Amino acid sequence: MSIVTDSQATVVDEVLELESLGVYERGELLRMLVQDTPRWIFPERRLGALVAEAEASFVLLASNPLEDLRALT
């Protein structure tokens, strides 16, 4: 097994590596990537939720990342 390091990897590379290790389920990885991490980086902002007064950013993907996380690439 090869381990991707932070020096050359993108965040998506790291998520794909974690998925290959079988440590987390795909839904957990996606939640950590798009909800948890932004909240940890910017705790004073309302991010990662579809609720009143939260910031909104949307990305359109060609396929469902819950079926295949490579959709994030």
Side-chain angles (χ1 to χ4, degrees), residues 1-72:
M1 153 178 50
S2 67
I3 300 296
V4 178
T5 65
D6 289 339
S7 62
Q8 299 294 319
T10 67
V11 68
V12 174
D13 293 332
E14 292 189 15
V15 167
L16 293 172
E17 182 69 21
L18 286 171
E19 181 185 35
S20 76
L21 296 173
V23 177
Y24 299 102
E25 293 189 20
R26 194 173 292 133
E28 291 175 290
L29 287 167
L30 192 58
R31 187 199 72 242
M32 287 188 283
L33 178 64
V34 302
Q35 291 181 331
D36 298 343
T37 300
R39 289 177 184 165
W40 292 329
I41 293 171
F42 304 105
E44 72 286 349
R45 293 168 56 183
R46 295 191 65 186
L47 301 168
L50 293 174
V51 296
E53 299 180 15
E55 294 181 40
S57 306
F58 296 92
V59 176
L60 180 63
L61 302 173
S63 59
N64 185 349
L66 289 173
E67 294 174 6
D68 184 355
L69 285 173
R70 289 176 295 184
L72 299 171

